[in-house]
């Protein structure tokens, strides 16, 4: 293994440190000079671009269009929706001035005190307020509905403790904001977009998720209902991977957005919003990767196959390159993203380790003897299994292997998740099991007070009330009061 | 013509007002509640997305990768490069606090005075400083070079007078930032990217451009040379449509970025940066559109063909729809973006006007009699010509017409530009011709003083010293001093 990869922390030694090192060593991102903000490096950004492209296609296939709203939000907008401001206004970047000037004392530049804004502007932590202020002018009649809009944007929340991808002050995301004539239509939209997220998580990220609704304590500030997909990381902690909110008429009322219905009467508009962010990168990394580095599902890998030549001299390389050219062309024709790494300044062993750390799903290595024998060494990243296979027809073998890896990763992650999902009937049992991590299905009396008490005493929260699964009633493990059904508890990111 | 399109200002009456109205009526963008910031509406954003996708493919084809750097820049970074701060630091959004709190007097929220940042952060007006501060850690040896990175991002410049797309406080753009081992390589990169921009402008936007180098007064703050593509709008004013900067070693020196060269000696790194923005939307609109609304080149039109059925009853519509289904499928198979508008709540005349205002390149209208006769009415947006053509084989006709429109728009724009390009030999002649607008080729003594004097007295600036064209020396029209060659003057956006 190459030099810089030595001393790679193992997951079992320190999961958190393993993650931080992996993000840097796989060249995904790094801390920037600005507190809590990261630089997303080209390799990390290429994965995010694949996520974006896939999700964008899915949004368009479900009838949505993209648009763009301002980065800055007038401070007063945040106060319009009472619960929203409680949830969001507190920790955010505030623009107070619009000009710098040369320091009269000669030390660079200073803020020009005369260029103070009349009203402060907030860097958007989310865009419901500015968007609903805009929709007010777009919506007059039922004929103007529905509005189905998505925005790809950067947002900012001044988090005190940050971790790359998982929790950063600035992050990239998409936020859908839709407007509807009826409650039913808006609720259906919020649920539909949760299905889109679940589809993306399972079939592209190979991350199994549990769909459900949030308890009131965990609900988005301003929502009537928050739907969520919850994933489990390899340390047994939950990661909320996407949320879709049914906002009722809360924002329509806050921004006075009404429409004339078919009966010619004014009515408040119904709303949803839904988003996923670069946090998905964190979920992707933590679900599949191992002590050797990143493991990427083929559907999101920027490089799906790497081919490394093993040669002694220029003549040997030329012969291999000639044979590889056809393989590369055939793989590309099949839609496979392939890299032929014939760089002369790195040894094969270094290349092997590098692509392993970067999670390239399939590696082919080809030497002089292989050419003679008509074989190639194939390594798959998910299992690290190596085998020597016939060169003839290798393209089809690789295509099938990529699909097999994609499926295998999901199966493996689901198996782990299921093994780490248990039930608890008493609070004692709950606390005991919680120490081992994982999802715990337990009865809860449905009150915010009990939820809060559990959180304070155990650091576990209700991840969701799942849409599916056991719906047998019972009694709350803490208060003994009636419980409608078991809900999912876990410690989380 | 539909109701809302009446009273559309004519270009000849008030070009500026015509533009502002067009942006709104074609549903491209609108002013937001935040001063100087616009909302880009779905139809406008769809055009921008096509631009983005095309440019992104071109950047990747020339070896570049995308990445993402922080939105906020520490104030002190801006001062590192002396000329850069003079050019950019003055008008920008300054973040001074990171928290709001409930107003003790109960009026919403106020800035928490205890949450003052130690060092103010600036919303990026451009990212050279934060990026070169990052590159410092990425570059050690000649083996780390070149770095060829692009970023798609929002930026902010606190402009006093704003106009949608042309000059807004926040705008969307891409900024390429490359690092090289040699001066030659960096200069070649800056020129190569200007060629990419020119290619895009002419072959996708159908906007003819003149490539050249900026005079010192018009150079990017911190650049050694700024290359530009200059377009001419229909009012004879110039619009700088893209710039590519050879930055020399200025930013490497400011951020102390050196590399060990092949001779094992440290050397400062050479740099370029290059960008185009949503301003291109303004260039696109103003180059082709007419008094009836937007005119879009087919290569960037979100809807290339619209099909409108003319019918009396449901039965009539069903017959037309049946025939149209095949045409739609065939056009899509040929890669044409087509919309069949069978909406029941709008009359054909309204639809015609709406798609005309929105600049859809080709419109097909199909009624009962057309079905009988095997014909279809075809309207092309660039010339507004209508003709009745055989339905049989209409798909191929449309594909050819789209390419013809694409070419015609460029030819037409180039013809106008050439007609509006003149020479002037005396300052009097120059001032006289300037009143008619257009590009004026004139001799200039090469000094910033003369350039400044001309700007103050006539509001004309040197758009560029063109790469091509007449290179005969002469004498400056103002000072009579020697001039190496004619340069291009114009009033500009």
């Amino acid at each position: 293994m190459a030099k810089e990869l030595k001393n790679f922390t193992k997951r079992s030694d320190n999961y958190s440190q393993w993650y931080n090192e992996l993000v840097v060593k796989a060249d995904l991102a790094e801390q920037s000079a600005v507190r809590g903000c990261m630089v997303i490096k080209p390799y990390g950004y290429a994965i995010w671009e694949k996520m974006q492209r896939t999700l964008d296609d899915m949004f368009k296939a479900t009838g949505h269009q993209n648009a763009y709203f301002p980065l800055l939000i007038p401070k007063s907008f945040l106060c319009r929706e009472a619960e929203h401001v409680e949830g969001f206004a507190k920790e955010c970047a505030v623009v107070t001035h619009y000009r710098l000037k040369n320091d009269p004392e000669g030390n660079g530049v200073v803020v020009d005190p005369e260029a103070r804004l009349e009203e402060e502007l907030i860097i958007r932590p989310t865009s419901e307020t500015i968007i609903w202020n805009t929709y007010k002018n777009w919506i007059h009649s039922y004929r103007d509905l529905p509005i189905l809009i998505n925005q790809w944007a950067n947002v900012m929340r001044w988090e005190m403790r940050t971790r790359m991808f998982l929790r950063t002050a600035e992050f990239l995301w998409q936020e859908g904001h839709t407007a509807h004539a009826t409650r039913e239509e808006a609720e259906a939209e919020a649920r539909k977009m949760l299905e889109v997220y679940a589809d993306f998580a399972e079939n592209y990220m190979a991350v199994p998720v549990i769909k459900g609704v949030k308890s009131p304590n965990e609900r988005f500030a301003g929502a009537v209902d928050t739907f969520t997909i919850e994933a489990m990381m390899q340390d047994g902690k939950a990661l909320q991977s996407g949320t879709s909110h049914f906002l009722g008429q809360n924002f329509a009322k806050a921004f006075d957005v009404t429409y004339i219905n078919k009966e010619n009467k004014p009515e408040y508009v119904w709303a949803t919003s839904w988003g996923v962010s670069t946090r998905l990168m964190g979920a992707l990394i933590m679900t599949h990767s191992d002590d050797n580095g990143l493991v990427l599902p083929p559907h999101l890998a920027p490089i799906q196959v790497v081919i490394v030549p093993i040669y002694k001299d220029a003549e040997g390389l030329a012969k291999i390159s000639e044979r590889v050219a056809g393989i590369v062309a055939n793989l590309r024709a099949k839609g496979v993203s392939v890299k032929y790494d014939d760089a002369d300044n790195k040894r094969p062993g270094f290349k092997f380790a590098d692509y392993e750390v970067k999670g390239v799903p399939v590696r082919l290595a080809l030497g002089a003897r292989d050419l003679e024998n008509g074989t190639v060494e194939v390594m798959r990243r998910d299992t690290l299994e190596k085998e020597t296979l016939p060169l003839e027809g290798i393209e089809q073998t690789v295509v099938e292997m990529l699909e097999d890896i994609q499926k295998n990763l999901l199966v493996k992650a689901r198996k782990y998740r299921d093994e780490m999902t248990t039930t608890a009937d008493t609070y004692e049992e709950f606390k005991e099991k919680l120490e081992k991590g994982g999802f715990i299905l337990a009865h809860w009396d449905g009150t915010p007070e009990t939820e809060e008490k559990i959180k304070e005493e155990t650091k576990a929260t209700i991840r969701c009330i799942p849409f599916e699964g056991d719906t047998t009633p019972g009694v709350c493990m803490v208060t003994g009061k009636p419980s409608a059904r078991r809900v999912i508890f876990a410690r989380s990111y």
Side-chain angles (χ1 to χ4, degrees), chain A residues 323 327 330-331 363-366 369-378 386-399 401:
Chain A
R323 185 69 178 86
I327 299 173
N330 289 339
L331 282 172
R363 180 188 82 212
L364 306 185
L366 202 66
R369 200 169 305 165
D370 288 306
L371 274 191
E372 278 168 33
N373 301 340
T375 57
V376 58
E377 186 194 84
V378 182
K386 264 190 276 192
E387 48 183 339
T388 299
L389 295 172
L391 256 179
E392 189 64 35
I394 190 65
E395 296 89 346
Q396 189 55 29
T397 310
V398 165
V399 166
M401 188 176 282

Side-chain angles (χ1 to χ4, degrees), chain A residues 175-189:
Chain A
E175 44 181 326
H177 294 273
T178 68
H180 305 266
T182 66
R183 175 184 185 110
E184 292 67 36
E185 196 184 296
E187 275 196 281
E189 164 80 7

Side-chain angles (χ1 to χ4, degrees), chain A residues 476-487:
Chain A
C476 175
M477 63 174 173
V478 177
T479 63
K481 288 181 193 166
S483 153
R485 59 162 298 164
R486 288 179 192 269
V487 301

Side-chain angles (χ1 to χ4, degrees), chain A residues 306-370:
Chain A
V306 64
I307 305 177
V308 178
I310 319 283
Y311 59 95
K312 287 195 184 132
D313 49 28
E315 197 191 347
L317 176 60
K319 277 186 191 160
I320 297 170
S321 298
E322 197 192 329
R323 185 69 178 86
V324 166
I327 299 173
V328 167
N330 289 339
L331 282 172
R332 288 199 178 134
K334 287 172 187 285
V336 175
S337 153
V338 53
K339 177 174 178 179
Y340 176 49
D341 186 352
D342 60 351
D344 206 19
N345 57 354
K346 290 167 197 153
R347 302 176 62 86
F350 179 93
K351 292 178 187 174
F352 286 5
D354 191 37
Y355 294 114
E356 212 168 295
V357 171
K358 287 194 167 132
V360 174
V362 172
R363 180 188 82 212
L364 306 185
L366 202 66
R369 200 169 305 165
D370 288 306

